[in-house]
Amino acid sequence: MKNIIVIGNGMVGYKFCEKFVSKPGNEGFKITVFGEEPRPAYDRVHLSEYFENQDAQALEMAPRSWYESHNIELITGVRITDIHRATKTITSSKDITYSYDYLVLSTGSSPFVPNIKGVEKQGVFVYRTIEDLEGMLEYAAKLKATNPNAKAAVLGGGLLGLEAGKAVMDMGLEPHIVEFAPKLMPRQLDARSSQVLQLKLESIGLNIHLSKATNQILGDAAITGMEFGEDDVLDVDMLIISAGIRPRDELGKTCDLEMGVRGGIVVNNKMQTSDTHIYAIGEVALYHGMIYGLVAPGYDMAEVAANQILGNTEILMPESIDMSTKLKLIGVDVASFGEPFMPASKGHSVIFEDKTKHLYKRINVSHDGKSLLGGILVGDASDYNMLHQMYLNGMAIPEDPSQLILPASEGGKSFGSVMDLPDTAQVCSCESVSKGAICCSITEQGSNNLTDVIAKTKATTGCGGCKPMVVDLVNETLKSLGKEVKETICEHFSFNRQELYDLVKINKVEDYEEALNLFGDGDGCEVCKPALASIFATITMETPNKQVVIQDTNDRFLANIQRNGTYSVVPRVAGGEITPDQLIVIGEVAKKYDLYTKITGGQRIDLFGAQIHELPLIWKELIDAGFESGHAYGKSLRTVKSCVGSTWCRYGMHESVTFAIEIENRYKGLRSPHKLKGGVSGCIRECAEARGKDFGLIAVDGGWNLYVCGNGGATPKHAILFAEQLDDATAIKYLDRFLMYYIRTAGPLVRTAPWLEKLHGGIDYLKKVIIEDSLGIADDLEAEMQGLVNKYECEWKQAIEDPNLLKRFRHFVNSDDTDDNLVFVPMRDQKMPKAW
């Protein structure tokens, strides 16, 4: 029996044990683990959760009984003081000697404490262990007992520093983040994304102080403040230092192992130190000149060391280590992957930013536009897993890379199916679980749900960032086997959109809060709120003015936000028909408010560059001239495009303009799961491109041919011939039924084309429902649509006539000041936002 001694019982030390005992051939080894802390290894990544329940056991990687059941001797509360390489022994602080055949150093790191005058004062803590947290909680309780308005600062604006900021908030103290660099998370974020994160964190109560070099800690016995320079002082009652880490490499130094110039024990790709019987893993190991402060590389090192000791010498560390990371900081998604910062000489960057939602997305692509090289996501990291896999596996990207980061409402999400990933794609970096392993656990090992898959593969049990992709893989694999998978709208409602639509309608629910109380849990989110807003609108025809707070940004301000934070204005021009007087009004408004103007693909005029406070003023003038909202911002009917038809065209067979105007005015304001577009062509030459729309009519001998379920965007689809030679009334009857059935049954943000693809029975089934009335609901669908048509109101007219509704059209919540950061530059006798 050979002895393995593991020094260090942190996450990586535990992972070495777990991996070692799971492998064949481990029977000939006895493992002894030493930990300095009094408890078994725990999850340091989620340390801040301790403030919520103060349950240390809930953070444990495994209980003591797990070690015992695997014949591992766990000795806690003991420090190892010396390694004697010549005799292959170690000595503990209790002066007890232990022999080893293999020694694994997994001592991790310690917090870096800057040499600041006064850092030893009471009330100054580091953020590393449960004992540190217990000390903070005790001190904070004393502070609040005498000063309810006590303040605490965190020194360091990196990952751990912001986590510590959350801890300060949870303790009920006024939180301040002090960072030496001019931006937050300087190793992961660029300046703009850092600014977006800063704005978001400040909006939820954190005070951010950047470019601050602390000269000294003020106070007598206890801290009373931080001094940055002359007359630059921050009064605080407590300080948490989170300014980086230093490897715990003192044992390596004292036994003359090869060390890095700045610390860390040098290892090769077998994780061996300069002594082949001693391995180093985790944050104490210096591999390729770097200390890797993430848990995933540490787990990989544990895997390699375990295999090497067992004789599986072909298992080596890769030459390069992926430092991509995704996490939720104080409820804010932050992620970076690949090369987050990239000079122009290596590729191009594509950036999407929405200041009102605190969103920032940046991807870096190669000069030839074929490869994804890296990126940054702040505010919404839901696309991280697919982007990360595209980067890792060199997958093809769309011809227009911006489709990868644009919101779905703007035609984004060109990822394809998660099943397109190669089987070798590593989905869970922490546990090295591939797509193939996840799928096989269902197809070959009998897993029937996500819980089974996690139990078999351990996927998602590390940082948890891969969970959305694992869920998709599980669902798609189960579907491929013909098993039912329920797709709920989000974690707050255990129903899909169709079920929620029925529940709201049948129970006559009047608003979101009532729906949440009756059918949901928690406080709701940015997924379920707009989805419920759409459902209410499609049942009662209520406008976004009724429940403003649950609308997405565009519906909230009744305008499309542009990349510099200004908005566009698009009045309705039904069928593309507009009089000279109306053109003059639009031109006068554009000149008065200095707006950029452009003809849209839907045959109307878009006015760009309006500030939020100008929107009601502009719309007042347009509505006075007879215009209405064009709903260019809503998941609703946008336009019904037409050619000039038989009125002017010598090839025209029917009066397409008149019919397009009638249809557009019938469905204007109609909310739906996604935007709707229509077209009417006066002959088969198809100048209105009706077959590229959600519904299209083309004049033929004997009437109109009706086409449905086409769309442009990232995945264009031609509409499918649905019915032939219809008269006007029948065409509208079928359109009423078709649109209402789509609204009732489609998922959120699903356009008609993908909806039809998922509809069981496809176009033939749809014809039976709409034309043959196979479900006996045709009359209901028609009556329901007519009810919505009768309730139409222009939401901009509502807004400008109600002073209470106008209050939201301000740039600042607490001031009437306008945004003076907007910069425009000239472009072809008009203007455009200044490039970033």
Side-chain angles (χ1 to χ4, degrees):
M1 181 74 72
K2 293 185 177 179
N3 289 325
I4 299 174
I5 289 180
V6 180
I7 303 178
N9 188 222
M11 294 177 73
V12 174
Y14 162 78
K15 189 57 65 175
F16 171 84
C17 297
E18 182 189 273
K19 289 179 178 291
F20 194 90
V21 299
S22 69
K23 298 182 185 301
N26 72 80
E27 302 82 5
F29 294 85
K30 169 73 170 64
I31 299 178
T32 304
V33 180
F34 290 90
E36 286 187 4
E37 293 184 56
R39 65 190 89 243
Y42 52 87
D43 183 354
R44 245 183 262 276
V45 173
H46 297 101
L47 193 59
S48 63
E49 293 178 8
Y50 182 76
F51 286 96
E52 297 175 10
N53 48 31
Q54 291 163 44
D55 182 359
Q57 209 166 21
L59 289 173
E60 280 184 358
M61 303 293 290
R64 286 184 182 275
S65 58
W66 179 88
Y67 296 87
E68 293 166 4
S69 66
H70 290 86
N71 197 30
I72 296 172
E73 184 177 5
L74 174 62
I75 302 173
T76 56
V78 173
R79 184 167 62 88
I80 302 302
T81 55
D82 291 295
I83 298 172
H84 312 286
R85 290 167 54 191
T87 57
K88 289 189 178 180
T89 57
I90 62 170
T91 304
S92 74
S93 54
K94 295 181 179 177
D95 205 23
I96 301 175
T97 298
Y98 301 84
S99 299
Y100 67 84
D101 294 288
Y102 297 101
L103 183 63
V104 179
L105 300 177
S106 180
T107 45
S109 62
S110 58
F112 169 63
V113 179
N115 185 21
I116 300 172
K117 183 181 177 183
V119 76
E120 74 289 349
K121 295 185 189 302
Q122 291 177 28
V124 179
F125 297 87
V126 294
Y127 187 78
R128 182 67 179 171
T129 67
I130 287 178
E131 284 67 35
D132 296 331
L133 270 56
E134 288 174 339
M136 292 178 206
L137 284 168
E138 184 179 355
Y139 196 80
K142 291 179 181 175
L143 285 176
K144 287 190 294 183
T146 56
N147 178 12
N149 301 314
K151 303 174 183 176
V154 177
L155 185 62
L159 291 172
L160 281 177
L162 296 178
E163 278 288 327
K166 168 74 162 50
V168 170
M169 293 182 75
D170 290 342
M171 288 188 289
L173 305 176
E174 182 180 299
H176 294 258
I177 302 291
V178 177
E179 168 60 45
F180 176 77
K183 61 180 182 177
L184 295 171
M185 296 179 64
R187 294 184 66 178
Q188 290 84 15
L189 302 183
D190 58 15
R192 292 191 67 87
S193 56
S194 170
Q195 190 179 41
V196 170
L197 178 62
Q198 179 180 348
L199 289 172
K200 177 61 179 177
L201 296 178
E202 287 175 339
S203 74
I204 58 179
L206 256 71
N207 301 282
I208 310 291
H209 310 268
L210 301 177
S211 302
K212 296 289 186 185
T214 308
N215 288 341
Q216 65 171 322
I217 309 298
L218 303 176
D220 295 326
I223 179 174
T224 59
M226 300 168 71
E227 181 187 282
F228 308 118
E230 190 174 352
D231 298 327
D232 190 2
V233 170
L234 175 65
D235 293 330
V236 291
D237 308 288
M238 180 173 164
L239 174 64
I240 300 170
I241 295 177
S242 180
I245 59 170
R246 291 292 182 270
R248 289 284 310 274
D249 56 7
E250 57 272 19
L251 285 173
K253 291 175 183 173
T254 56
C255 72
D256 293 328
L257 293 177
E258 183 182 353
M259 306 295 294
V261 175
R262 296 183 178 179
I265 300 173
V266 175
V267 294
N268 59 20
N269 60 359
K270 300 178 180 178
M271 304 319 298
Q272 287 172 322
T273 66
S274 52
D275 183 327
T276 56
H277 291 90
I278 301 178
Y279 294 77
I281 57 178
E283 292 171 343
V284 71
L286 186 71
Y287 180 59
H288 285 333
M290 273 192 67
I291 298 291
Y292 300 88
L294 299 177
V295 69
Y299 283 6
D300 290 341
M301 292 176 179
E303 171 77 12
V304 170
N307 275 293
Q308 289 292 328
I309 293 173
L310 286 166
N312 305 319
T313 54
E314 73 282 6
I315 306 297
L316 304 170
M317 278 297 286
E319 287 300 303
S320 63
I321 292 180
D322 179 29
M323 293 294 285
S324 303
T325 185
K326 174 194 170 191
L327 65 161
K328 191 178 279 290
L329 290 169
I330 318 181
V332 184
D333 277 347
V334 179
S336 68
F337 62 95
E339 293 191 58
F341 321 113
M342 196 181 62
S345 59
K346 295 187 68 175
H348 303 295
S349 295
V350 181
I351 296 174
F352 169 79
E353 183 175 354
D354 183 340
K355 290 180 179 176
T356 62
K357 284 189 171 181
H358 302 110
L359 289 178
Y360 178 88
K361 299 181 180 183
R362 166 180 173 167
I363 54 173
N364 303 319
V365 301
S366 58
H367 280 128
D368 62 7
K370 295 182 178 178
S371 302
L372 186 60
L373 303 178
I376 298 170
L377 305 170
V378 172
D380 175 13
S382 56
D383 297 334
Y384 168 80
N385 287 309
M386 275 307 284
L387 291 170
H388 188 209
Q389 290 300 327
M390 294 176 87
Y391 156 71
L392 287 177
N393 295 287
M395 295 167 66
I397 61 176
E399 188 174 342
D400 178 6
S402 67
Q403 298 294 319
L404 294 173
I405 54 174
L406 283 172
S409 57
E410 300 297 328
K413 312 283 184 189
S414 299
F415 294 125
S417 168
V418 68
M419 300 302 283
D420 294 338
L421 292 172
D423 284 348
T424 54
Q426 190 178 74
V427 174
C428 176
S429 299
C430 297
E431 294 291 341
S432 299
V433 184
S434 68
K435 173 210 166 189
I438 291 169
C439 296
C440 282
S441 76
I442 298 171
T443 57
E444 299 177 10
Q445 299 172 18
S447 294
N448 288 311
N449 51 46
L450 179 65
T451 304
D452 291 348
V453 171
I454 292 173
K456 281 191 169 64
T457 66
K458 298 188 77 68
T460 78
T461 58
C463 69
C466 62
K467 189 170 184 179
M469 179 168 282
V470 175
V471 170
D472 287 345
L473 282 170
V474 170
N475 288 347
E476 291 302 316
T477 306
L478 288 171
K479 286 179 186 175
S480 71
L481 298 175
K483 297 183 178 179
E484 183 182 0
V485 177
K486 187 170 183 178
E487 295 179 349
T488 58
I489 199 166
C490 73
E491 63 189 89
H492 302 104
F493 289 93
S494 299
F495 304 98
N496 61 32
R497 184 185 181 278
Q498 186 175 352
E499 291 168 335
L500 271 178
Y501 179 96
D502 292 338
L503 287 169
V504 169
K505 186 175 180 181
I506 293 169
N507 292 280
K508 295 182 171 55
V509 178
E510 294 189 354
D511 58 37
Y512 175 81
E513 289 302 322
E514 186 181 357
L516 189 64
N517 289 335
L518 288 174
F519 316 122
D521 292 305
D523 299 321
C525 65
E526 296 309 311
V527 173
C528 60
K529 288 177 180 177
L532 263 296
S534 171
I535 288 172
F536 284 115
T538 52
I539 291 175
T540 66
M541 203 65 176
E542 71 175 40
T543 68
N545 293 322
K546 183 180 178 186
Q547 300 187 70
V548 174
V549 296
I550 64 170
Q551 311 294 332
D552 64 20
T553 301
N554 289 347
D555 271 325
R556 188 173 303 172
F557 297 109
L558 307 178
N560 274 331
I561 189 168
Q562 305 300 317
R563 69 180 177 90
N564 67 339
T566 61
Y567 292 83
S568 63
V569 173
V570 188
R572 184 166 300 286
V573 180
E577 183 180 80
I578 188 166
T579 67
D581 286 342
Q582 288 175 315
L583 281 172
I584 289 170
V585 169
I586 289 178
E588 288 174 339
V589 168
K591 288 183 71 173
K592 181 176 179 179
Y593 293 95
D594 190 21
L595 304 175
Y596 170 89
T597 56
K598 189 180 184 306
I599 306 295
T600 74
Q603 299 181 330
R604 49 190 182 178
I605 300 170
D606 208 337
L607 313 174
F608 291 89
Q611 293 193 51
I612 193 168
H613 70 282
E614 295 176 323
L615 290 173
L617 303 174
I618 292 170
W619 274 106
K620 174 74 168 56
E621 296 192 30
L622 291 172
I623 287 172
D624 286 347
F627 285 102
E628 294 180 309
S629 170
H631 300 93
Y633 43 82
K635 263 61 80 180
S636 58
L637 179 79
R638 298 287 176 84
T639 62
V640 179
K641 188 176 181 179
S642 73
C643 64
V644 293
S646 59
T647 307
W648 291 94
C649 179
R650 58 198 173 100
Y651 299 110
M653 301 183 70
H654 294 303
E655 223 291 71
S656 54
V657 179
T658 300
F659 201 35
I661 292 172
E662 180 182 352
I663 294 172
E664 182 162 343
N665 283 331
R666 179 171 182 77
Y667 301 124
K668 63 185 178 185
L670 177 68
R671 251 59 183 192
S672 54
H674 209 304
K675 61 186 176 186
L676 288 169
K677 293 183 178 180
V680 181
S681 285
C683 75
I684 58 172
R685 287 170 180 78
E686 251 284 72
C687 292
E689 300 167 324
R691 292 190 62 196
K693 311 298 184 188
D694 297 281
F695 59 87
L697 292 144
I698 299 176
V700 294
D701 277 339
W704 302 98
N705 280 357
L706 174 60
Y707 295 80
V708 297
C709 299
N711 60 237
T715 310
K717 296 279 186 184
H718 259 153
I720 300 171
L721 180 61
F722 188 71
E724 298 180 76
Q725 297 179 308
L726 305 176
D727 58 31
D728 290 9
T730 306
I732 288 177
K733 179 172 68 176
Y734 287 172
L735 274 177
D736 280 359
R737 295 177 183 179
F738 162 70
L739 291 173
M740 209 63 239
Y741 189 59
Y742 161 67
I743 287 169
R744 279 188 179 186
T745 59
L749 297 176
V750 176
R751 291 199 68 175
T752 54
W755 167 71
L756 181 63
E757 288 177 357
K758 291 185 176 180
L759 191 66
H760 185 67
I763 191 69
D764 292 334
Y765 174 77
L766 187 62
K767 287 180 180 178
K768 288 180 181 176
V769 173
I770 303 303
I771 299 174
E772 301 173 18
D773 193 17
S774 61
L775 300 180
I777 60 173
D779 289 344
D780 289 343
L781 295 174
E782 289 177 41
E784 204 166 344
M785 178 61 79
Q786 190 58 51
L788 295 177
V789 170
N790 293 342
K791 292 178 182 174
Y792 167 76
E793 286 186 80
C794 173
E795 52 217 38
W796 259 116
K797 189 169 187 297
Q798 282 181 336
I800 64 173
E801 292 177 349
D802 187 335
N804 287 325
L805 295 179
L806 289 177
K807 291 178 181 177
R808 67 182 189 267
F809 296 98
R810 296 192 302 179
H811 186 75
F812 298 103
V813 174
N814 57 353
S815 165
D816 289 328
D817 291 345
T818 59
D819 186 358
D820 56 6
N821 292 315
L822 295 174
V823 180
F824 295 92
V825 295
M827 183 186 68
R828 295 186 292 277
D829 298 329
Q830 295 200 75
K831 68 176 185 180
M832 62 171 284
K834 184 180 181 181
W836 294 329

